[in-house]
Amino acid sequence: DAGVTQSPTHLIKTRGQQVTLRCSPKSGHDTVSWYQQALGQGPQFIFQYYEEEERQRGNFPDRFSGHQYPNYSSELNVNALLLGDSALYLCASSGDNKETQYFGPGTRLLVL
Amino acid sequence: DAKTTQPPSMDCAEGRAANLPCNHSTISGNEYVYWYRQIHSQGPQYIIHGLKNNETNEMASLIITEDRKSSTLILPHATLRDTAVYYCIVSRTYAGNMLTFGGGTRLMVKP
């Protein structure tokens, strides 16, 4: 049983560009959350998707948007990239009991 | 969600028990205590969680004080592979919960 998978593993973009990161949840999980982790800090919650809708959102600007597909996979889109968007982007999924979130390995984004 | 306080760093000798403390004095009755760890450059790994009773699994034990204002994560026989940042998180468990990570404790297991 595969855990949470994310793609790509690494990505380099330039300021002003747009990026799409992808996440496949653990088998049987229907809820996907996204987190941003800057170097040396703990992960910060971006938003959560359930039943293809954004259910909860952290303190991130509208440049950060997402989508969830019927198969529960999810995308994180970031527009107009800033140097400060350089970070490890983590996806986490949870299932029926909602008690535990399982994290993927992350996508490391570097904005130049 | 309630805030947690953890020491920024701890050392432990290989083979000995690692006891990681966490203070969560403002925890409310419907909030769980979660522990995650993050090995360098990897995604956080779930370890254990509990509400008010002590919990044990194959990875660790979680001891929660009777007043629930603090807890201790115990790794019974630490190995070098347990070197990581350990996060104590307090969160309600429901469909829309989010995890609020603090600074965590950087545990260094030494030979």
Side-chain angles (χ1 to χ4, degrees), chain A residues 15-86:
Chain A
R15 281 181 299 173
Q17 284 189 313
Q18 178 265 343
V19 68
T20 297
L21 310 181
R22 296 177 174 81
C23 171
S24 291
K26 186 176 170 64
S27 178
H29 285 187
D30 57 7
T31 302
V32 173
S33 302
W34 287 91
Y35 293 79
Q36 180 196 65
Q37 185 174 24
L39 198 61
Q41 298 182 20
Q44 301 297 308
F45 176 79
I46 303 175
F47 44 53
Q48 184 179 83
Y49 275 83
Y50 173 70
E51 292 188 342
E52 302 180 48
E53 291 192 358
E54 182 183 298
R55 179 163 56 189
Q56 193 171 359
R57 189 179 183 93
N59 188 25
F60 279 81
D62 292 345
R63 298 187 297 109
F64 290 78
S65 63
H67 187 79
Q68 186 178 36
Y69 294 93
N71 68 352
Y72 308 124
S73 67
S74 177
E75 290 180 353
L76 165 65
N77 301 294
V78 186
N79 294 322
L81 284 167
L82 304 174
L83 296 180
D85 294 332
S86 295

Side-chain angles (χ1 to χ4, degrees), chain A residues 31 33 35 37 41-45 48 55-56 58 88 90 97-105 108, chain B residues 32 34 36 38 41-46 49 87 92-103 106:
Chain A
T31 302
S33 302
Y35 293 79
Q37 185 174 24
Q41 298 182 20
Q44 301 297 308
F45 176 79
Q48 184 179 83
R55 179 163 56 189
Q56 193 171 359
L88 179 67
L90 296 159
N97 65 12
K98 301 294 189 285
E99 286 190 358
T100 307
Q101 293 186 32
Y102 292 90
F103 284 80
R108 188 164 297 282
Chain B
Y32 284 68
Y34 288 83
Y36 283 78
Q38 189 171 26
S41 295
Q42 298 181 20
Q45 177 188 22
Y46 166 80
H49 76 286
Y87 295 100
R92 290 167 289 175
T93 176
Y94 67 102
N97 70 325
M98 67 179 192
L99 299 177
T100 302
F101 289 79
R106 185 172 299 276

